[in-house]
C-alpha cells in the first residue's frame, strides 16, 4: 500500500510515525516533509498548495491513500481536486472545510443549530466594527475570519486596544485577506480543552482530550503562537462535560453540516471553553491540531489506516476507537524570537538520544537536512513528547527529554501542563 501525507510539520511527522506502525506496512511519501519524516518515509519536494503537482505525483506513483494534514490546502479545495481524478483522499471537501476556513460561517452555523458558543457579531466594515466597540463590554475578543496560522485572535482589555486591533486586522491587513471580515465575540472565562474527532459524514468517533498552550511565554504571557506545548488527557474534561458535549455539540455539528449540504469527512477539532454557565465552542478546526496530534496519536491503539478508510467509506460506527490508559505531554522547542523574528539554520544535536525509544519522542516541525546535519528551519522546531502513567510523570519526563536536545537559539516554555497540579 502506498500513502501520501501532505504537510511538513510536527503534526505530519506524528501522522507518519503512526502510519509506519500499521500492520499494512505502507510505503509512505510526504510532501514536502521535514528532516524527521525523511527518516521513516520518502520526502517529495512539492508545495502543499501545488495541487496539480500533488495530483500528478499521486497518479504517477499509484498512491492508494492521500492524507491531508494542513488547513490551507483543505480550505483551498485539495480534496475536491483529488476526488475529481478518482483518487482516494482523507479530509473534508472545500465546502466542508469552511468550518475552519471562515469563523463567521462557523459562528452562524452554531447560532442556527443551537450549538452553544459565545455571543458575537460579524463585521466587514472597520468603521462599523469600531462603532460597535463603543458600547461593548470588556475584555472582548477579535477574530480574523480566515486562516491566520492560529494567530488571528486578539483579546482586548479596553476600547483603545480593540480599536487598534481592528486597524491591525482590517486596515493594516496583518493577516492578509483573513481579516477582510472579523468576528467580535464576548470574552469567555474558564478552562480551555481541545477534543479531536474522526467524522465520516454521519457518525463521529472521539479521540482523547488535550489542552494546548498558545501563548509564547510562561504564565500565558506574550503573543499567540501555533502552540507551545500540550498535554493529554485533560483532567478537566470530566464525564459530565463529555455527556453535555455529546448531547449538545458533537453530533449536532456533524448533523448541521450535513443539513447544510456540506457533508464532513475527516477530522473535526473542537476548541471548547468550560465556563461557569456551561461548555461553549470557541472554534472548530477541520484537521488534526498541532501540537495536539503529537500527544493524541501516541496514545491511540488502533491501526490509523483502518480509521482513515472508515471515515472515507462512511462506516466509522464499525470502528471501536481505543486509547491507552496513560498520559502524554509535549513541550515545543522553538527558535528564540518566535512568533515574530528568529534565525534558521542552527545545527541540532542530540536527536540520536530518541532512537528506538517508546516513551519519549522528538517530533520534527521546523527542521531540514543539510548534508549530514539536521538544522532548524522554522519557529517551532521540535515537539518533545513523553508518555507515562500519569500526567505529572509525563510532564517531568518530557522536560527531562528536552535536555537531550540542543541548538543555538533553543527556546521553550517552562510551565507546560502546570495547571494539572490543581487537579489530580
Amino acid at each position: 500500500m502506498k500513502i501520501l501525507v501532505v504537510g511538513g510539520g510536527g503534526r505530519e511527522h506524528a501522522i507518519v510515525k503512526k502510519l509506519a506502525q500499521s500492520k499494512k506496512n505502507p510505503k509512505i511519501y510526504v510532501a514536502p516533509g521535514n528532516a524527521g519524516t525523511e527518516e521513516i518515509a520518502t520526502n517529495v519536494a512539492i508545495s502543499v498548495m501545488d495541487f496539480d503537482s500533488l495530483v500528478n505525483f499521486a497518479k504517477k506513483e499509484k498512491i492508494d491513500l492521500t492524507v491531508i494534514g494542513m488547513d490551507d490546502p483543505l480550505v483551498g479545495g485539495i480534496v475536491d481536486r483529488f476526488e475529481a481524478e478518482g483518487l482516494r483522499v482523507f479530509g473534508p471537501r472545500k465546502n466542508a472545510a469552511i468550518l475552519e476556513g471562515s469563523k463567521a460561517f462557523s459562528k452562524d452555523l452554531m447560532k442556527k443549530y443551537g450549538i452553544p458558543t459565545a455571543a458575537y457579531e460579524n463585521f466587514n466594515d472597520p468603521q462599523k466594527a469600531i462603532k460597535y466597540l463603543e458600547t461593548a463590554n470588556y475584555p472582548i475578543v477579535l477574530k480574523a475570519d480566515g486562516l491566520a496560522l492560529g494567530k488571528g485572535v486578539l483579546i482586548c482589555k479596553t476600547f483603545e486596544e480593540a480599536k487598534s486591533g481592528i486597524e491591525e486586522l482590517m486596515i493594516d491587513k496583518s493577516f492578509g485577506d483573513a481579516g477582510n471580515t472579523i468576528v467580535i465575540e464576548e470574552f469567555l472565562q474558564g478552562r480551555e480543552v481541545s477534543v479531536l474527532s474522526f467524522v465520516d459524514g454521519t457518525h463521529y468517533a472521539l479521540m482523547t482530550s488535550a489542552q494546548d498552550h498558545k501563548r509564547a511565554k510562561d504564565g500565558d504571557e506574550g503573543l499567540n503562537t501555533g502552540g507551545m506545548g500540550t498535554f493529554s488527557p485533560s483532567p478537566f474534561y470530566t464525564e459530565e462535560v463529555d455527556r453535555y458535549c455529546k448531547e449538545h455539540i458533537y453530533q449536532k455539528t456533524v448533523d448541521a453540516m450535513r443539513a447544510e449540504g456540506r457533508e464532513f469527512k475527516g477530522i473535526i477539532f473542537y476548541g471548547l471553553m468550560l465556563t461557569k454557565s456551561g461548555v461553549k465552542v470557541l472554534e472548530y478546526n477541520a484537521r488534526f491540531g498541532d501540537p495536539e496530534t503529537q500527544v493524541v496519536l501516541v496514545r491511540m491503539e488502533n491501526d490509523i489506516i483502518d480509521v482513515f478508510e472508515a471515515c472515507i467509506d462512511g462506516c466509522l460506527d464499525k470502528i471501536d476507537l481505543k486509547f491507552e490508559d496513560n498520559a502524554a505531554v509535549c513541550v515545543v522547542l522553538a527558535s528564540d524570537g518566535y512568533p515574530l523574528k528568529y534565525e534558521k539554520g542552527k545545527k541540532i544535536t542530540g536527536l540520536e538520544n530518541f532512537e528506538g525509544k517508546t516513551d519519549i519522542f522528538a517530533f520534527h516541525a521546523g527542521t531540514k537536512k543539510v548534508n549530514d546535519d539536521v538544522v532548524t528551519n522554522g519557529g517551532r522546531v521540535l515537539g518533545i513528547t513523553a508518555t507515562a502513567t500519569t500526567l505529572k510523570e509525563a510532564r517531568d519526563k518530557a522536560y527531562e527529554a528536552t535536555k537531550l536536545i540542543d541548538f543555538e537559539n533553543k527556546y521553550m516554555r517552562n510551565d507546560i501542563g502546570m495547571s494539572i497540579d490543581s487537579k489530580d
Side-chain angles (χ1 to χ4, degrees):
M1 185 176 193
K2 291 184 175 181
I3 297 181
L4 171 63
V5 176
V6 176
R11 162 187 47 223
E12 287 76 30
H13 190 196
I15 292 169
V16 169
K17 265 188 176 291
K18 195 68 183 172
L19 285 166
Q21 295 169 6
S22 170
K23 60 184 179 291
K24 294 178 172 63
N25 194 27
K27 179 168 177 52
I28 309 165
Y29 299 89
V30 194
N34 57 43
T37 60
E38 194 174 328
E39 296 291 320
I40 45 178
T42 302
N43 284 354
V44 185
I46 304 175
S47 160
V48 298
M49 297 304 290
D50 187 352
F51 295 175
D52 288 341
S53 296
L54 289 167
V55 165
N56 290 337
F57 177 83
K59 289 168 76 172
K60 181 184 168 204
E61 292 296 329
K62 296 184 170 55
I63 298 294
D64 298 294
L65 172 65
T66 299
V67 178
I68 312 300
M70 295 179 66
D71 45 7
D72 283 333
L74 288 170
V75 171
I78 191 171
V79 169
D80 308 65
R81 287 291 304 280
F82 270 68
E83 287 184 343
E85 297 290 338
L87 295 164
R88 198 163 167 81
V89 57
F90 176 81
R93 298 182 184 115
K94 182 176 185 176
N95 75 341
I98 193 175
L99 190 65
E100 176 174 7
S102 169
K103 290 184 174 64
F105 169 85
S106 67
K107 294 293 287 190
D108 289 347
L109 184 87
M110 287 185 268
K111 181 188 278 187
K112 180 176 178 180
Y113 289 92
I115 297 164
T117 190
Y120 74 100
E121 296 288 343
N122 298 330
F123 294 91
N124 52 28
D125 180 331
Q127 297 313 316
K128 287 181 180 175
I130 291 168
K131 185 78 177 164
Y132 174 81
L133 290 173
E134 292 173 359
T135 56
N137 295 319
Y138 291 87
I140 204 160
V141 182
L142 311 182
K143 294 182 175 180
D145 174 53
L147 300 178
L149 300 172
K151 306 184 192 81
V153 178
L154 305 176
I155 298 170
C156 306
K157 295 175 182 173
T158 64
F159 169 77
E160 287 73 23
E161 271 187 44
K163 182 173 181 283
S164 66
I166 284 172
E167 290 167 352
E168 179 187 346
L169 293 171
M170 302 190 79
I171 298 170
D172 300 339
K173 300 285 188 189
S174 56
F175 295 105
D177 289 343
N180 288 350
T181 297
I182 66 163
V183 177
I184 301 182
E185 191 175 275
E186 74 168 314
F187 176 74
L188 296 178
Q189 287 187 300
R191 291 199 180 274
E192 282 191 52
V193 175
S194 304
V195 178
L196 286 83
S197 66
F198 290 104
V199 183
D200 71 356
T202 305
H203 315 97
Y204 73 89
L206 286 187
M207 292 180 244
T208 180
S209 61
Q211 186 169 331
D212 191 14
H213 297 65
K214 281 285 185 194
R215 297 282 178 174
K217 297 180 179 177
D218 289 2
D220 281 334
E221 298 291 329
L223 296 170
N224 255 349
T225 72
M228 292 298 293
T230 187
F231 60 85
S232 173
S234 169
F236 310 106
Y237 187 80
T238 62
E239 287 184 14
E240 181 185 1
V241 170
D242 184 58
R243 275 195 306 273
Y244 180 89
C245 292
K246 284 174 176 171
E247 183 177 349
H248 297 284
I249 296 173
Y250 303 142
Q251 191 66 54
K252 269 184 151 180
T253 300
V254 177
D255 293 345
M257 290 297 283
R258 196 171 68 253
E260 292 291 310
R262 298 173 183 272
E263 180 188 58
F264 195 104
K265 292 186 175 187
I267 303 286
I268 297 181
F269 170 124
Y270 298 88
L272 306 174
M273 181 69 86
L274 312 184
T275 76
K276 287 180 179 175
S277 59
V279 185
K280 305 280 179 80
V281 179
L282 284 177
E283 64 171 352
Y284 295 111
N285 289 337
R287 37 76 194 179
F288 279 111
D290 190 347
E292 290 89 349
T293 306
Q294 289 86 310
V295 291
V296 169
L297 289 191
V298 294
R299 299 183 56 224
M300 192 170 102
E301 295 180 1
N302 304 69
D303 187 321
I304 199 168
I305 295 176
D306 292 341
V307 186
F308 286 155
E309 296 198 314
C311 290
I312 296 169
D313 295 332
C315 57
L316 188 59
D317 54 327
K318 305 289 192 292
I319 296 283
D320 181 15
L321 205 58
K322 290 184 176 178
F323 290 83
E324 289 184 50
D325 183 18
N326 64 355
V329 172
C330 172
V331 178
V332 170
L333 299 185
S335 300
D336 196 15
Y338 172 76
L340 292 174
K341 191 177 180 184
Y342 50 86
E343 294 180 358
K344 300 180 184 180
K346 306 298 184 183
K347 182 179 175 180
I348 302 168
T349 59
L351 290 167
E352 68 281 356
N353 295 313
F354 293 81
E355 290 174 8
K357 296 292 196 315
T358 57
D359 61 344
I360 57 170
F361 311 90
F363 290 114
H364 292 238
T367 67
K368 70 175 181 180
K369 208 78 175 286
V370 176
N371 299 320
D372 292 332
D373 293 332
V374 176
V375 302
T376 65
N377 192 42
R380 292 188 297 171
V381 178
L382 295 163
I384 304 302
T385 303
T387 56
T389 306
T390 69
L391 280 167
K392 289 178 182 178
E393 290 169 0
R395 183 182 65 200
D396 291 344
K397 195 187 289 187
Y399 273 107
E400 277 300 310
T402 64
K403 298 173 185 175
L404 303 174
I405 294 284
D406 202 23
F407 52 91
E408 193 181 311
N409 56 348
K410 172 179 154 183
Y411 171 78
M412 65 183 171
R413 276 184 59 165
N414 298 292
D415 62 348
I416 302 301
M418 285 301 182
S419 61
I420 64 178
D421 289 337
S422 61
K423 185 163 185 174
D424 290 319

